[in-house]
Amino acid sequence: MTVTTTTQSERLVDLDDLTPLTETTTSADPARVYERLRARWGNVAPVLLEPGVPAWLVLGHRELVTVLRNESLYARDSRNWGLLADGTVRADSGVGGVLAPRDGIYYVDGVRHRHLRRLIDDAFESIDEHRLAAIVEQWCALALDRVLAKGEADLVGDYARAVPLLVMSTIFGLEADQARAMLSHAQRVFQAKGAAGGEALNAQRSLIADLIASRRADPSDDLTSAILRHPSRPTDVDAQSAVSATLILGSEFEVAWITQALRLRLTDPRFDGRSGGRLSASDTLEAALGSAPPATNTGPRFALADTTLGGRKIWAGDAVVPGIMGASAESRASGDDIWLESGNLSYLTWGAGPHACPARRPATVIAQVAVGAALRRLGGVALTVPPESLRATGTLWSSVPQTLPVRFEEHRPAR
């Protein structure tokens, strides 16, 4: 990839001089990383996905919306990635393994994407949100009972990482023991590298394949059955593509959102009170979307033709990464009051265009109930470490605190 502008002659940039994209998700101050990139490069900055693998990071709102909404020019399917096609990036390498072509709602475009998207959209339309909230409450209560029994916990590992996947597994039709198995496999995927992580991921897929076979033979009132009942008569491959991507990737978004909201409540003095009272779970979650979005960056698009974006020459085959947090920061007024921001762009966390998040409503219910339950029951909760010592862990796309170690001074019963 070359770095060019429409007003300057083409100039090559030393790849060793570029910022790794992981700095935007693991830095102690991601906003400063985005500011530095914008100051040097403008609204479209060259970055590294991994050593030797460049991409463009979109930091401007106008440019970001252009990329997200224009599927005819910016494709999600990585078969259009020049560095993968020419062998620079191998499909079994680090970033290559993450971005290798696969059949799923998040990875394909055009007719195939629209078909899978209809399966998911129509299934989510069938959700009874009161029933969903009750399922979330049940899993939250079980997790919080264990947490409170100990008097201290890591709210990431003991709570935020557990509840979303357990809930998603349940609404897709897995029994409680199967949901726990799915969580166990997910924890192995998160912690392991290489073959061990691959084995855990295969175990998750096997659970989903068994679920689809079971519901094909004996339908129920879960989301998997709703997908299989779709009038388009989806195949088992269609169903597995729809369920796997939504259940597994969707729950990761929830983990980040819930964790960032809990972090704000524990570390940000602006959340000690507002207008004489503490902020609600909904207020906290909305603030997290604007200041620490769960999707710091979203999966790259791949240019289908030579074009210009934010004054940069983009070549066909280039990877273009939508920087959600960077574009949100660009719109902010001076000052640091998140409630007085000009043009809060937290909505971009949900994406735009064909690949906008299909699960916004159920995702919001899950997060609101999970955060609300934690705030209601964890009375007198306090961090056991200084806020500045918290460290982020993340992928190229998202960032969460590694841990939120807390202690409880009083225990409140469930309500």
Side-chain angles (χ1 to χ4, degrees):
M1 185 185 80
T2 57
V3 177
T4 66
T5 71
T6 55
T7 58
Q8 297 176 331
S9 60
E10 181 176 345
R11 55 193 175 90
L12 289 171
V13 171
D14 184 354
L15 294 184
D16 292 336
D17 189 40
L18 298 184
T19 299
L21 184 61
T22 50
E23 285 194 21
T24 67
T25 59
T26 59
S27 167
D29 189 357
R32 190 173 296 277
V33 178
Y34 285 112
E35 290 170 6
R36 187 178 74 239
L37 287 168
R38 185 178 291 107
R40 179 177 180 186
W41 301 106
N43 281 348
V44 179
V47 293
L48 290 176
L49 299 181
E50 68 181 13
V53 182
W56 299 103
L57 178 62
V58 182
L59 302 171
H61 173 239
R62 179 178 299 178
E63 294 82 3
L64 179 62
V65 171
T66 296
V67 171
L68 293 178
R69 291 180 175 165
N70 193 348
E71 184 184 41
S72 64
L73 184 56
Y74 297 100
R76 192 67 179 262
D77 192 334
S78 63
R79 287 175 294 185
N80 299 291
W81 188 13
L83 295 182
L84 191 65
D86 69 12
T88 300
V89 174
R90 299 195 322 274
D92 61 350
S93 67
V95 73
V98 173
L99 297 178
R102 50 177 58 90
D103 183 38
I105 190 172
Y106 294 106
Y107 305 103
V108 295
D109 302 294
V111 174
R112 179 62 174 163
H113 175 262
R114 288 190 292 274
H115 172 58
L116 295 176
R117 179 65 188 242
R118 280 193 297 270
L119 299 180
I120 290 297
D121 285 345
D122 291 352
F124 279 132
E125 280 297 317
S126 70
I127 285 181
D128 179 336
E129 292 189 8
H130 294 289
R131 181 186 175 204
L132 172 60
I135 291 171
V136 183
E137 287 279 10
Q138 290 170 0
W139 282 118
C140 288
L142 290 172
L144 291 170
D145 285 346
R146 290 193 295 270
V147 163
L148 288 168
K150 295 189 298 183
E152 60 183 15
D154 166 24
L155 289 183
V156 179
D158 295 335
Y159 188 68
R161 279 209 170 274
V163 169
L165 188 59
L166 291 169
V167 171
M168 293 288 283
S169 296
T170 301
I171 64 175
F172 272 97
L174 292 173
E175 299 295 334
D177 58 337
Q178 295 172 319
R180 293 189 181 95
M182 180 67 77
L183 175 61
S184 175
H185 297 323
Q187 290 170 336
R188 288 169 55 210
V189 171
F190 179 75
Q191 296 168 354
K193 295 181 179 180
E199 290 172 1
L201 186 59
N202 287 336
Q204 286 184 304
R205 291 169 177 161
S206 179
L207 269 176
I208 292 170
D210 290 345
L211 171 65
I212 290 167
S214 172
R215 289 300 180 265
R216 181 76 80 180
D218 184 19
S220 185
D221 60 351
D222 51 64
L223 290 187
T224 301
S225 298
I227 289 171
L228 291 171
R229 283 194 300 265
H230 196 272
S232 65
R233 304 182 68 177
T235 66
D236 287 357
V237 171
D238 294 339
Q240 184 149 1
S241 295
V243 173
S244 295
T246 310
L247 193 161
I248 297 172
L249 296 183
S251 60
E252 280 300 306
F253 177 99
E254 290 284 305
V255 169
W257 194 11
I258 293 168
T259 300
Q260 293 293 11
L262 293 174
R263 180 188 63 81
L264 284 178
R265 294 300 291 253
L266 291 167
T267 64
D268 194 325
R270 291 173 292 187
F271 289 80
D272 288 340
R274 185 178 182 233
S275 302
R278 292 189 64 82
L279 292 166
S280 69
S282 296
D283 289 333
T284 307
L285 286 160
E286 184 63 28
L289 287 183
S291 62
T296 308
N297 310 302
T298 66
R301 272 54 169 182
F302 305 96
L304 297 177
D306 296 351
T307 187
T308 301
L309 183 69
R312 295 289 177 192
K313 178 69 176 182
I314 308 295
W315 299 98
D318 280 357
V320 180
V321 177
I324 302 297
M325 186 174 179
S328 294
E330 186 214 17
S331 73
R332 291 176 185 165
S334 59
D336 62 353
D337 188 341
I338 59 178
W339 300 104
L340 298 178
E341 291 172 3
S342 172
N344 189 320
L345 297 180
S346 64
Y347 77 91
L348 285 173
T349 292
W350 304 100
H355 284 275
C357 177
R360 182 169 183 168
R361 282 176 47 239
T364 301
V365 172
I366 293 169
Q368 287 179 346
V369 173
V371 172
L375 299 180
R376 190 168 62 248
R377 292 194 62 192
L378 302 182
V381 65
L383 277 174
T384 59
V385 297
E388 61 273 14
S389 71
L390 295 175
R391 294 291 178 264
T393 182
T395 64
L396 295 170
W397 329 119
S398 65
S399 175
V400 297
Q402 290 179 343
T403 61
L404 284 176
V406 295
R407 178 179 58 250
F408 316 120
E409 298 172 4
E410 58 176 294
H411 296 176
R412 295 181 183 173
R415 296 179 184 175

